[in-house]
Amino acid sequence: MKKNLKYLGFSVVIALIVMWLAGVFRHREEAYQVKEIQKQVSGLELGNVEVSDTVYYSFSGNIVAEKVAEVSTRIMGKIVSVNVKEGDFVKKGQVLFSVDASDIIAQVNASEQGIVQARQAYNAAKAQLEVAEKTYRRYQELLDKQAITKQEFDQVKAQYESALAQLKQAEAGINMAIHQREVIASNLKYATVVAPFSGYVSRKNVDVGDLSIPGQPSLVIESGKHLMEVFLPEKYLGKVKVGDAYQVYIDSLGKVLNGKVVEVSPSLDPITRSFKVKVSLEDKSLRSGMYATLMIPEKEKAIYVPESAILRRFDFTGVYVVRDDGTLELRYVKLGEPKDGKVRVLSGLEGNERIVVKGIENACDGCKVGGR
């Protein structure tokens, strides 16, 4: 019995210690809810989303020259002189480069010897014809007097006609030799290559010592205005016409130029289902090969926001929208093409929102818009 009371007393003591440690015998404050303190941000510039009823669709193309000549030679040979370099302005008829013509000169000399031989052959045939003609006349008289047989006369007549044919053949040989010399000599003018028109040397593919290959461009000369060459999809066929005015953006120059359509292909490429359009541009800083973008307007609702309003984090793009209660909401948006420092929003905005246009580095999702 005493033993049980001993254990009971020990248990009570342990229970009291536990209750004391748990704070049962201490004064307790009433529980209350901690109020959330909302962060305020300042230094933000707010603005309205821009809504437009016109959308510009862009199509990429290249700048080309109005006149382009790929200059090459008609003869093969070593290039002995090049008188221009890339960027030079040349006048029509100006010598661009020269090709070694020693082989052609040798052929011309050989053809002149052929003319001499042809003339010698002609003179020999002429002398034979004179003898054959005298014999023929004499035998004609003898035949009239019946001093010879018809067979003897026919033999002499055949010899005369043969000599006459040989003379004509020798004469044709002279003409052929002269013509051959003219053909060979005409190649001499191709040994000196001149500019077909006035313009600028845009590309030089040869140097002294190179071998010129007929038909392979050695120089490229450009002249006239510059054009944008672009391929448009089938839906614009019949809509884009000669004389239409469009804006063209030149990326490397950072310029928007006014262009005029000067050429429209009447047929479609069966593979790409597109047709070629050329747009005339006037700007002295344009160069062939530049990247250009043709902008075609169409009636369609479009939402634009400034570039400065866009928050980019890796693949995420968003803008800070101001709610009715003055708090900020970071909203994901899908972007389209840029235009004049603004970017089109394809989805994520309705068009009636107020957004943070500057100072997005100070903004945060759920924060309260404060003063400046």
Side-chain angles (χ1 to χ4, degrees):
M1 184 67 180
K2 291 182 179 180
K3 187 175 182 180
N4 293 335
L5 291 174
K6 182 178 179 181
Y7 283 117
L8 178 62
F10 180 75
S11 298
V12 171
V13 172
I14 295 299
L16 292 173
I17 294 173
V18 171
M19 292 173 67
W20 180 79
L21 291 175
V24 173
F25 304 108
R26 298 179 187 177
H27 175 71
R28 300 179 66 183
E29 297 287 344
E30 293 185 4
Y32 64 91
Q33 186 175 1
V34 178
K35 295 183 179 179
E36 181 182 358
I37 300 176
Q38 195 170 42
K39 180 181 179 182
Q40 278 197 346
V41 291
S42 59
L44 306 181
E45 182 177 334
L46 308 181
N48 294 323
V49 172
E50 180 182 330
V51 180
S52 173
D53 60 354
T54 302
V55 176
Y56 287 86
Y57 287 93
S58 58
F59 300 93
S60 302
N62 295 307
I63 299 298
V64 297
E66 188 176 27
K67 293 174 63 178
V68 180
E70 294 184 341
V71 183
S72 61
T73 66
R74 289 182 59 177
I75 61 174
M76 182 175 289
K78 185 175 70 174
I79 294 177
V80 294
S81 67
V82 179
N83 304 323
V84 295
K85 61 182 181 297
E86 291 184 356
D88 284 354
F89 178 81
V90 295
K91 295 182 178 180
K92 180 179 179 180
Q94 180 178 333
V95 176
L96 302 175
F97 62 94
S98 300
V99 180
D100 182 13
S102 57
D103 292 342
I104 299 176
I105 294 174
Q107 293 175 14
V108 170
N109 294 334
S111 64
E112 289 178 348
Q113 292 298 320
I115 293 174
V116 172
Q117 294 176 1
R119 285 175 176 166
Q120 291 175 349
Y122 174 81
N123 292 334
K126 186 178 181 181
Q128 291 178 359
L129 177 62
E130 290 175 353
V131 173
E133 184 177 6
K134 289 179 181 179
T135 304
Y136 172 75
R137 301 299 179 191
R138 186 167 59 253
Y139 270 64
Q140 180 70 53
E141 293 175 356
L142 293 174
L143 180 63
D144 293 341
K145 296 178 182 179
Q146 296 183 352
I148 58 174
T149 63
K150 184 69 169 58
Q151 182 179 2
E152 290 175 327
F153 173 76
D154 289 342
Q155 290 178 350
V156 172
K157 181 181 179 181
Q159 293 173 357
Y160 167 71
E161 292 175 348
S162 175
L164 183 63
Q166 289 178 359
L167 180 64
K168 291 181 179 180
Q169 185 176 1
E171 185 178 5
I174 294 175
N175 294 333
M176 184 178 294
I178 293 174
H179 177 70
Q180 185 177 6
R181 182 192 62 181
E182 291 175 351
V183 170
I184 296 174
S186 67
N187 288 327
L188 285 174
K189 65 182 179 181
Y190 299 117
T192 302
V193 181
V194 299
F197 51 77
S198 298
Y200 289 91
V201 178
S202 63
R203 191 164 70 248
K204 182 173 74 74
N205 300 326
V206 294
D207 290 301
V208 174
D210 290 344
L211 182 67
S212 67
I213 301 176
Q216 181 172 319
S218 300
L219 296 172
V220 177
I221 298 178
E222 298 180 354
S223 180
K225 299 178 181 179
H226 282 87
L227 309 172
M228 178 191 179
E229 190 175 83
V230 60
F231 287 86
L232 299 181
E234 184 176 359
K235 72 174 184 176
Y236 290 108
L237 188 63
K239 296 180 181 179
V240 176
K241 301 176 182 178
V242 173
D244 290 349
Y246 294 102
Q247 289 186 327
V248 176
Y249 177 69
I250 310 298
D251 184 67
S252 58
L253 301 179
K255 290 182 178 181
V256 176
L257 305 177
N258 294 320
K260 184 177 181 181
V261 178
V262 294
E263 185 178 322
V264 177
S265 175
S267 59
L268 289 167
D269 186 314
I271 299 176
T272 62
R273 310 305 303 173
S274 61
F275 63 101
K276 184 167 65 175
V277 174
K278 290 185 179 180
V279 181
S280 177
L281 302 170
E282 292 192 15
D283 193 293
K284 294 183 178 179
S285 55
L286 291 174
R287 295 292 182 270
S288 296
M290 281 184 171
Y291 180 83
T293 303
L294 177 68
M295 294 179 286
I296 300 180
E298 291 193 13
K299 291 295 181 180
E300 185 179 327
K301 179 183 176 181
I303 299 173
Y304 290 92
V305 297
E307 284 272 9
S308 58
I310 301 170
L311 177 68
R312 290 183 169 89
R313 290 177 179 170
F314 303 102
D315 293 334
F316 175 85
T317 53
V319 296
Y320 283 103
V321 177
V322 183
R323 299 190 186 99
D324 293 338
D325 61 357
T327 58
L328 298 178
E329 174 192 352
L330 181 58
R331 188 178 299 178
Y332 169 77
V333 292
K334 183 179 179 181
L335 302 178
E337 72 282 352
K339 178 197 172 188
D340 301 333
K342 299 178 182 179
V343 181
R344 184 184 178 190
V345 176
L346 302 178
S347 63
L349 296 176
E350 297 295 330
N352 55 356
E353 295 92 347
R354 280 180 61 79
I355 61 172
V356 179
V357 295
K358 285 186 180 179
I360 60 173
E361 64 277 2
N362 299 324
C364 58
D365 190 29
C367 295
K368 184 83 172 179
V369 177
R372 302 179 67 86

